[in-house]
Amino acid sequence: MNPLVSSALPGNIAMQCWLAICLPFNSGELSMVGDHKNEKTLIIDDKIKKFVELINSTKGDGELTFSHIQSRPFMPYWANIMITKFHPEVNDFQVIFHGTDVVSHVLRDQTGKFLKDPDFRSSSPEILTAHTTAFIENRPIFLKGDLSIDKRKHKKFNQVKTPLLFKNNEKGTVTYVLYY
């Protein structure tokens, strides 16, 4: 088993999360396949569908790149995006961009932190598995769950994680997340 997937992450976050492995982007489908705890609760938000449609129309048959994410059509999504880059030497993802809406919900900017860092505030084994699956299997992963940090009001989230290609063939993920 991949050690990145199997590693446990300590933290101060209470999270309940349902993972759905979805069809590859090039299928044009958004329907879920695979096992998750409650299929009826995993309703993909219309904003997430539009984000995935933008990715599909932008990348075509190729891969989504960091340059794509930096382009004007993606600007409306930036506040709700987290971008990670995979570092094989430490077998972990490092956050290189944390959007302002994401920061406001996790109560700090985590840019520069690694997902396995015990101080990383919005991670769990399920979240790490989702990043890893999107990265390794080169497909989108949709998640929906409950998030409560530092006794704040209970929050729900809905997100999609997708593989991302950087220059020099470095890889990572981009997450578009909505909080309710």
Side-chain angles (χ1 to χ4, degrees):
M1 177 175 277
N2 183 327
L4 186 60
V5 175
S6 63
S7 60
L9 297 173
N12 60 356
I13 187 168
M15 180 180 294
Q16 196 174 20
C17 181
W18 300 277
L19 172 67
I21 312 252
C22 299
L23 297 171
F25 275 138
N26 59 8
S27 71
E29 297 286 329
L30 286 174
S31 58
M32 281 66 69
V33 296
D35 294 327
H36 43 80
K37 291 184 179 180
N38 188 345
E39 185 173 331
K40 292 180 181 174
T41 66
L42 195 66
I43 299 168
I44 304 303
D45 187 282
D46 284 341
K47 291 178 184 176
I48 290 177
K49 287 180 185 177
K50 288 182 183 188
F51 181 73
V52 172
E53 288 168 2
L54 176 59
I55 288 171
N56 288 337
S57 67
T58 301
K59 74 176 194 70
D61 290 335
E63 294 189 55
L64 182 66
T65 67
F66 186 63
S67 295
H68 289 138
I69 295 296
Q70 291 178 307
S71 68
R72 186 173 301 275
F74 285 90
M75 285 176 68
Y77 299 98
W78 288 352
N80 296 85
I81 284 179
M82 179 176 83
I83 298 173
T84 66
K85 186 181 283 189
F86 184 70
H87 291 271
E89 68 278 5
V90 293
N91 200 29
D92 200 356
F93 294 88
Q94 183 180 31
V95 176
I96 65 164
F97 178 80
H98 228 201
T100 55
D101 193 60
V102 179
V103 170
S104 73
H105 284 90
V106 298
L107 303 175
R108 74 173 121 185
D109 184 359
Q110 300 186 114
T111 302
K113 291 197 177 287
F114 286 87
L115 295 186
K116 288 195 239 178
D117 184 331
D119 197 34
F120 193 85
R121 295 189 74 137
S122 58
S123 199
S124 69
E126 294 88 358
I127 297 291
L128 187 57
T129 297
H131 279 278
T132 303
T133 303
F135 171 77
I136 291 173
E137 297 182 10
N138 197 33
R139 61 177 171 172
I141 303 298
F142 295 86
L143 295 135
K144 181 178 182 179
D146 301 320
L147 174 70
S148 180
I149 296 177
D150 293 341
K151 299 179 184 175
R152 289 182 66 211
K153 183 181 172 186
H154 199 67
K155 297 271 183 187
K156 296 192 179 297
F157 69 87
N158 200 333
Q159 63 181 253
V160 61
K161 297 182 181 307
T162 65
L164 187 65
L165 182 64
F166 295 90
K167 291 181 180 176
N168 301 325
N169 280 334
E170 294 177 302
K171 294 191 176 194
T173 61
V174 59
T175 300
Y176 177 62
V177 60
L178 301 170
Y179 298 93
Y180 306 93

